Amino acid sequence: MFEILIQTISWCLLVTGALFYASGALGLLRFPDIYSRLHAVTKTDTVGLGFLTLGLVLQSGPGWTTAQLLLIWLLAMASAAVNGQLLARYTLEQEVPDDT
């Protein structure tokens, strides 16, 4: 019974993460300027990866795989924030038109 509950929660987290990724892709396609697009991609990808990681952690159980998954999530969160900041700063310095 406990295993079925863990699997159900895990799959719900995985589906939620996939939906966050889909909403980020939709925001990338639909938002008007580059700053809105960067915000949509960095935020939804970070949250989506968090849900996917938690879903996979529940399936993998305690151990080295869980530690690796959490480390990947932390590195991805840090790199998404830094990449978003650098792209926004570069765009501001280059004075890229808003309609690109």
Side-chain angles (χ1 to χ4, degrees), residues 7 17 21-22 35-36 46 57 80 99:
Q7 289 296 320
Y21 270 108
Y35 302 110
S36 299
T46 303
V57 162
D99 60 349

mmCIF file with all atom_site columns, all heavy atoms in Angstrom, residues 7 17 21-22 35-36 46 57 80 99:
data_model
loop_
_atom_site.group_PDB
_atom_site.id
_atom_site.type_symbol
_atom_site.label_atom_id
_atom_site.label_alt_id
_atom_site.label_comp_id
_atom_site.label_asym_id
_atom_site.label_entity_id
_atom_site.label_seq_id
_atom_site.pdbx_PDB_ins_code
_atom_site.Cartn_x
_atom_site.Cartn_y
_atom_site.Cartn_z
_atom_site.occupancy
_atom_site.B_iso_or_equiv
_atom_site.pdbx_formal_charge
_atom_site.auth_seq_id
_atom_site.auth_comp_id
_atom_site.auth_asym_id
_atom_site.auth_atom_id
_atom_site.pdbx_PDB_model_num
ATOM 1  N N   . GLN A 1 7  ? 4.564  5.700  -5.461  1.00 0.00 ? 7  GLN A N   1
ATOM 2  C CA  . GLN A 1 7  ? 4.555  5.730  -6.923  1.00 0.00 ? 7  GLN A CA  1
ATOM 3  C C   . GLN A 1 7  ? 3.564  6.757  -7.461  1.00 0.00 ? 7  GLN A C   1
ATOM 4  O O   . GLN A 1 7  ? 3.854  7.461  -8.434  1.00 0.00 ? 7  GLN A O   1
ATOM 5  C CB  . GLN A 1 7  ? 4.229  4.341  -7.481  1.00 0.00 ? 7  GLN A CB  1
ATOM 6  C CG  . GLN A 1 7  ? 5.330  3.330  -7.302  1.00 0.00 ? 7  GLN A CG  1
ATOM 7  C CD  . GLN A 1 7  ? 6.566  3.706  -8.080  1.00 0.00 ? 7  GLN A CD  1
ATOM 8  O OE1 . GLN A 1 7  ? 6.493  4.186  -9.206  1.00 0.00 ? 7  GLN A OE1 1
ATOM 9  N NE2 . GLN A 1 7  ? 7.715  3.479  -7.455  1.00 0.00 ? 7  GLN A NE2 1
ATOM 10 N N   . GLY A 1 17 ? 6.109  18.469 -13.295 1.00 0.00 ? 17 GLY A N   1
ATOM 11 C CA  . GLY A 1 17 ? 7.348  18.997 -13.858 1.00 0.00 ? 17 GLY A CA  1
ATOM 12 C C   . GLY A 1 17 ? 7.295  19.123 -15.367 1.00 0.00 ? 17 GLY A C   1
ATOM 13 O O   . GLY A 1 17 ? 7.751  20.120 -15.935 1.00 0.00 ? 17 GLY A O   1
ATOM 14 N N   . TYR A 1 21 ? 7.606  22.559 -17.721 1.00 0.00 ? 21 TYR A N   1
ATOM 15 C CA  . TYR A 1 21 ? 8.454  22.696 -18.902 1.00 0.00 ? 21 TYR A CA  1
ATOM 16 C C   . TYR A 1 21 ? 7.638  23.123 -20.117 1.00 0.00 ? 21 TYR A C   1
ATOM 17 O O   . TYR A 1 21 ? 8.072  23.966 -20.909 1.00 0.00 ? 21 TYR A O   1
ATOM 18 C CB  . TYR A 1 21 ? 9.182  21.380 -19.203 1.00 0.00 ? 21 TYR A CB  1
ATOM 19 C CG  . TYR A 1 21 ? 10.507 21.266 -18.512 1.00 0.00 ? 21 TYR A CG  1
ATOM 20 C CD1 . TYR A 1 21 ? 10.688 20.406 -17.447 1.00 0.00 ? 21 TYR A CD1 1
ATOM 21 C CD2 . TYR A 1 21 ? 11.589 22.008 -18.929 1.00 0.00 ? 21 TYR A CD2 1
ATOM 22 C CE1 . TYR A 1 21 ? 11.897 20.292 -16.814 1.00 0.00 ? 21 TYR A CE1 1
ATOM 23 C CE2 . TYR A 1 21 ? 12.813 21.923 -18.300 1.00 0.00 ? 21 TYR A CE2 1
ATOM 24 C CZ  . TYR A 1 21 ? 12.961 21.057 -17.247 1.00 0.00 ? 21 TYR A CZ  1
ATOM 25 O OH  . TYR A 1 21 ? 14.172 20.955 -16.615 1.00 0.00 ? 21 TYR A OH  1
ATOM 26 N N   . ALA A 1 22 ? 6.460  22.569 -20.278 1.00 0.00 ? 22 ALA A N   1
ATOM 27 C CA  . ALA A 1 22 ? 5.602  22.939 -21.409 1.00 0.00 ? 22 ALA A CA  1
ATOM 28 C C   . ALA A 1 22 ? 5.167  24.395 -21.302 1.00 0.00 ? 22 ALA A C   1
ATOM 29 O O   . ALA A 1 22 ? 5.129  25.116 -22.317 1.00 0.00 ? 22 ALA A O   1
ATOM 30 C CB  . ALA A 1 22 ? 4.385  22.021 -21.458 1.00 0.00 ? 22 ALA A CB  1
ATOM 31 N N   . TYR A 1 35 ? 13.118 39.918 -22.299 1.00 0.00 ? 35 TYR A N   1
ATOM 32 C CA  . TYR A 1 35 ? 13.179 39.839 -20.837 1.00 0.00 ? 35 TYR A CA  1
ATOM 33 C C   . TYR A 1 35 ? 12.050 38.958 -20.281 1.00 0.00 ? 35 TYR A C   1
ATOM 34 O O   . TYR A 1 35 ? 12.269 38.177 -19.351 1.00 0.00 ? 35 TYR A O   1
ATOM 35 C CB  . TYR A 1 35 ? 13.133 41.238 -20.233 1.00 0.00 ? 35 TYR A CB  1
ATOM 36 C CG  . TYR A 1 35 ? 14.258 42.108 -20.747 1.00 0.00 ? 35 TYR A CG  1
ATOM 37 C CD1 . TYR A 1 35 ? 14.007 43.160 -21.598 1.00 0.00 ? 35 TYR A CD1 1
ATOM 38 C CD2 . TYR A 1 35 ? 15.576 41.836 -20.414 1.00 0.00 ? 35 TYR A CD2 1
ATOM 39 C CE1 . TYR A 1 35 ? 15.035 43.948 -22.094 1.00 0.00 ? 35 TYR A CE1 1
ATOM 40 C CE2 . TYR A 1 35 ? 16.616 42.606 -20.901 1.00 0.00 ? 35 TYR A CE2 1
ATOM 41 C CZ  . TYR A 1 35 ? 16.337 43.662 -21.745 1.00 0.00 ? 35 TYR A CZ  1
ATOM 42 O OH  . TYR A 1 35 ? 17.361 44.415 -22.233 1.00 0.00 ? 35 TYR A OH  1
ATOM 43 N N   . SER A 1 36 ? 10.880 39.079 -20.852 1.00 0.00 ? 36 SER A N   1
ATOM 44 C CA  . SER A 1 36 ? 9.773  38.207 -20.452 1.00 0.00 ? 36 SER A CA  1
ATOM 45 C C   . SER A 1 36 ? 10.058 36.764 -20.814 1.00 0.00 ? 36 SER A C   1
ATOM 46 O O   . SER A 1 36 ? 9.748  35.843 -20.061 1.00 0.00 ? 36 SER A O   1
ATOM 47 C CB  . SER A 1 36 ? 8.477  38.650 -21.120 1.00 0.00 ? 36 SER A CB  1
ATOM 48 O OG  . SER A 1 36 ? 8.140  39.951 -20.751 1.00 0.00 ? 36 SER A OG  1
ATOM 49 N N   . THR A 1 46 ? 13.491 25.902 -13.859 1.00 0.00 ? 46 THR A N   1
ATOM 50 C CA  . THR A 1 46 ? 14.008 25.595 -12.527 1.00 0.00 ? 46 THR A CA  1
ATOM 51 C C   . THR A 1 46 ? 12.960 24.864 -11.687 1.00 0.00 ? 46 THR A C   1
ATOM 52 O O   . THR A 1 46 ? 13.254 23.851 -11.054 1.00 0.00 ? 46 THR A O   1
ATOM 53 C CB  . THR A 1 46 ? 14.441 26.892 -11.821 1.00 0.00 ? 46 THR A CB  1
ATOM 54 O OG1 . THR A 1 46 ? 15.411 27.551 -12.626 1.00 0.00 ? 46 THR A OG1 1
ATOM 55 C CG2 . THR A 1 46 ? 15.033 26.600 -10.470 1.00 0.00 ? 46 THR A CG2 1
ATOM 56 N N   . VAL A 1 57 ? 13.569 11.209 -7.220  1.00 0.00 ? 57 VAL A N   1
ATOM 57 C CA  . VAL A 1 57 ? 14.119 10.858 -5.903  1.00 0.00 ? 57 VAL A CA  1
ATOM 58 C C   . VAL A 1 57 ? 13.192 9.884  -5.183  1.00 0.00 ? 57 VAL A C   1
ATOM 59 O O   . VAL A 1 57 ? 13.649 8.921  -4.556  1.00 0.00 ? 57 VAL A O   1
ATOM 60 C CB  . VAL A 1 57 ? 14.359 12.143 -5.067  1.00 0.00 ? 57 VAL A CB  1
ATOM 61 C CG1 . VAL A 1 57 ? 14.498 11.834 -3.586  1.00 0.00 ? 57 VAL A CG1 1
ATOM 62 C CG2 . VAL A 1 57 ? 15.582 12.863 -5.570  1.00 0.00 ? 57 VAL A CG2 1
ATOM 63 N N   . ALA A 1 80 ? 21.003 28.401 -14.250 1.00 0.00 ? 80 ALA A N   1
ATOM 64 C CA  . ALA A 1 80 ? 19.878 29.088 -14.891 1.00 0.00 ? 80 ALA A CA  1
ATOM 65 C C   . ALA A 1 80 ? 19.825 30.539 -14.442 1.00 0.00 ? 80 ALA A C   1
ATOM 66 O O   . ALA A 1 80 ? 19.594 31.441 -15.268 1.00 0.00 ? 80 ALA A O   1
ATOM 67 C CB  . ALA A 1 80 ? 18.567 28.377 -14.573 1.00 0.00 ? 80 ALA A CB  1
ATOM 68 N N   . ASP A 1 99 ? 11.371 43.571 -30.324 1.00 0.00 ? 99 ASP A N   1
ATOM 69 C CA  . ASP A 1 99 ? 10.552 42.645 -31.108 1.00 0.00 ? 99 ASP A CA  1
ATOM 70 C C   . ASP A 1 99 ? 11.301 41.435 -31.601 1.00 0.00 ? 99 ASP A C   1
ATOM 71 O O   . ASP A 1 99 ? 10.808 40.695 -32.430 1.00 0.00 ? 99 ASP A O   1
ATOM 72 C CB  . ASP A 1 99 ? 9.907  43.371 -32.276 1.00 0.00 ? 99 ASP A CB  1
ATOM 73 C CG  . ASP A 1 99 ? 10.941 43.989 -33.217 1.00 0.00 ? 99 ASP A CG  1
ATOM 74 O OD1 . ASP A 1 99 ? 12.132 44.013 -32.837 1.00 0.00 ? 99 ASP A OD1 1
ATOM 75 O OD2 . ASP A 1 99 ? 10.541 44.439 -34.303 1.00 0.00 ? 99 ASP A OD2 1
#
